Amino acid sequence: MQNDFSVAILGLSKFFREDVAVTAQTMQIGSRPCRIYGEAHAEYLLLQMTDEHELQNMDSEVAAIAQGAAHSFLFAAVPVKSWNDELSPWEAPAVWGKESFGGNAADTLRFLTEQAIPTLKQQFALPENVRIILGGYSLAGLFALWASTQTALFSGVAAASPSVWFPGWSLNSSTPFRRSAFI
């Protein structure tokens, strides 16, 4: 059975032709230089928390999405400086290595909801009912899952290899997802 989110993701492979180039622009939102792809008036806003390593392949990732998307989209790669601090929902001791987790995900979510999303909606004339999908890999995937339990703002979540091993995290049938989550 398909829901709106799975239809949206499956449909993203039908919009752009192979000869359409997807170019990035950098836009300062707060203190973060976000990399933006796509077009104004888009039906979907795709947000992905990223680090420097992921940004190296972001052009090809977005090009793969754009090659055949069925819906117009705006993709925003939102940089994270301190992965363990900014994406962890609560404080936790180090699991691997020496760096503990700072538990500042609420601040990151507030940045998205109060600065990034309103700025992108305004600058790119996104409709008020734009469908927002939050995605992430590893700890950013856990952040996306956690964020979906905190607000109904997101139409869906795409969590690639999320860090569900995070101390205190439990993903079960009682997890209060407000929308669809795909892992």
Side-chain angles (χ1 to χ4, degrees):
M1 179 174 164
Q2 293 183 333
N3 58 34
D4 290 341
F5 180 67
S6 62
V7 171
I9 292 299
L10 294 172
L12 283 175
S13 63
K14 303 274 186 242
F15 183 72
F16 286 90
R17 298 181 323 268
E18 286 187 36
D19 61 338
V20 173
V22 178
T23 57
Q25 59 180 298
T26 300
M27 177 180 193
Q28 193 74 24
I29 303 176
S31 63
R32 300 174 194 241
C34 300
R35 194 179 294 179
I36 312 296
Y37 301 82
E39 57 191 81
H41 310 286
E43 298 171 74
Y44 286 84
L45 172 58
L46 310 177
L47 300 169
Q48 182 173 331
M49 308 309 291
T50 61
D51 65 7
E52 197 60 39
H53 174 73
E54 289 175 311
L55 286 175
Q56 294 173 10
N57 296 314
M58 194 58 61
D59 291 352
S60 59
E61 179 181 323
V62 175
I65 294 170
Q67 273 190 345
H71 301 277
S72 59
F73 69 89
L74 186 72
F75 183 103
V78 181
V80 175
K81 288 183 182 177
S82 180
W83 203 252
N84 283 10
D85 286 337
E86 295 178 56
L87 298 176
S88 56
W90 46 82
E91 291 184 9
V95 176
W96 295 282
K98 299 176 184 170
E99 187 179 352
S100 61
F101 299 91
N104 294 313
D107 293 337
T108 303
L109 180 57
R110 193 169 18 266
F111 167 78
L112 290 176
T113 61
E114 295 177 8
Q115 291 184 51
I117 293 169
T119 299
L120 292 166
K121 280 183 170 183
Q122 179 183 17
Q123 292 295 316
F124 292 93
L126 298 176
E128 192 55 39
N129 65 344
V130 65
R131 301 201 45 168
I132 304 169
I133 299 174
L134 179 61
Y137 170 77
S138 190
L139 196 55
L142 176 74
F143 170 78
L145 291 172
W146 171 82
S148 74
T149 69
Q150 304 302 301
T151 179
L153 180 64
F154 304 110
S155 296
V157 169
S161 189
S163 299
V164 293
W165 50 260
F166 189 80
W169 176 259
S170 177
L171 182 64
N172 57 46
S173 61
S174 65
T175 302
F177 289 111
R178 301 189 189 268
R179 299 290 183 183
S180 301
F182 292 84
I183 304 171

